[in-house]
Amino acid sequence: MMLKNVSIKLGLPAILVAASVSLMTPAHAQLGGIKLPSLGGGQASAPAVDVGSLLSQQKGLVGRFNSAMNNMLLAQARTLAALNLNEESEKAAAAAESYASGNVVAEDQIKRDVELSKASLEQINAAKAKGEQLTSDGKQSLMAAIPHYVKGMADGVKLPKEFEKWSSVAQGGLGSLASNPMDALKLKDGLGEALPVITNLPGLIKVWGETTTTFVQYAKGNDLDVSEIEKIEL
């Protein structure tokens, strides 16, 4: 099963977080009270930055994150409902709704929902440990979770690679913005929107991987087909 590789991949998001921080730390210019990168003082040799393209890519990154978060929370909600943990299921479903719009989300919201996902994982593990077979209705609810796990993990596993590409381009050309404070400000704002996602990505990927692995084991124990989830390579 491809999900066994989840722990191996956890180092990549951590590296990306470090890369994102490095964009904002070496030799800084000051603009609006916020420190902005100034690599080499705007040397002529610095590659040009297409700020519009970078911001568009950043929006795509946040959108992919929102899609993954929405689907993973809905998957957990369906799984909890299958276990008759209805109050917990409703909390997960309500949290999922806040990501459905695709808007930028606050860091405290993401952190809250990381903890919610961890709690859901503990509850699912506890039910799995009991070894009880699900009712017919429970199996239907568990089956309804499968498409959300597939979509959520398919989006989630792309996040590190997509951001790696994005940060590499941004880091390589930031020096050219030393003489263009307006574009620097725009890029700074884009980085500010993406950073809550990036900084929480390592913990999220870990929880998503563990939750999905637990779900696959539990679903198999109840004779459900989870082959679509198992095709996803982390």
Side-chain angles (χ1 to χ4, degrees):
M1 188 174 75
M2 298 301 182
L3 294 174
K4 67 184 179 180
N5 294 327
V6 64
S7 61
I8 299 173
K9 296 294 185 181
L10 290 178
L12 181 56
I15 292 171
L16 298 184
V17 172
S20 70
V21 173
S22 74
L23 297 181
M24 305 182 74
T25 52
H28 296 87
Q30 199 75 22
L31 182 62
I34 303 296
K35 288 184 176 181
L36 295 173
S38 175
L39 305 182
Q43 297 173 6
S45 60
V49 175
D50 185 342
V51 173
S53 177
L54 284 173
L55 292 177
S56 177
Q57 292 171 33
Q58 173 261 318
K59 295 294 184 185
L61 171 67
V62 174
R64 193 182 299 280
F65 167 79
N66 283 339
S67 174
M69 196 69 157
N70 172 258
N71 277 289
M72 292 304 293
L73 286 166
L74 285 175
Q76 292 166 28
R78 303 289 186 268
T79 305
L80 292 165
L83 302 172
N84 289 319
L85 297 170
N86 296 321
E87 182 177 348
E88 292 82 354
S89 174
E90 290 173 4
K91 287 180 181 179
E97 184 62 28
S98 62
Y99 297 92
S101 66
N103 293 329
V104 175
V105 292
E107 185 167 13
D108 58 348
Q109 177 187 341
I110 298 174
K111 288 181 177 179
R112 178 201 69 196
D113 295 332
V114 170
E115 293 306 312
L116 179 62
S117 293
K118 289 179 181 179
S120 297
L121 175 60
E122 290 177 2
Q123 291 156 345
I124 295 168
N125 271 325
K128 177 173 168 282
K130 293 180 180 178
E132 298 177 358
Q133 290 294 307
L134 292 175
T135 64
S136 177
D137 288 345
K139 284 189 177 183
Q140 288 297 317
S141 185
L142 210 62
M143 287 178 62
I146 293 175
H148 293 296
Y149 276 113
V150 172
K151 185 68 168 64
M153 291 304 295
D155 279 331
V157 297
K158 296 173 184 175
L159 282 169
K161 188 173 182 179
E162 289 292 317
F163 183 72
E164 181 181 31
K165 179 180 178 181
W166 179 75
S167 63
S168 176
V169 174
Q171 196 169 18
L174 274 171
S176 67
L177 295 181
S179 60
N180 193 335
M182 292 305 295
D183 274 355
L185 180 59
K186 291 178 184 178
L187 188 54
K188 181 270 297 182
D189 288 342
L191 285 165
E193 290 180 359
L195 280 174
V197 176
I198 299 161
T199 54
N200 285 282
L201 192 54
L204 275 168
I205 289 180
K206 183 175 188 295
V207 173
W208 288 346
E210 291 175 350
T211 301
T212 305
T213 299
T214 297
F215 174 83
V216 166
Q217 294 169 348
Y218 190 60
K220 280 184 172 181
N222 283 274
D223 302 319
L224 298 182
D225 181 7
V226 291
S227 57
E228 290 301 309
I229 301 177
E230 292 182 299
K231 290 178 184 178
I232 300 170
E233 184 174 0
L234 296 184

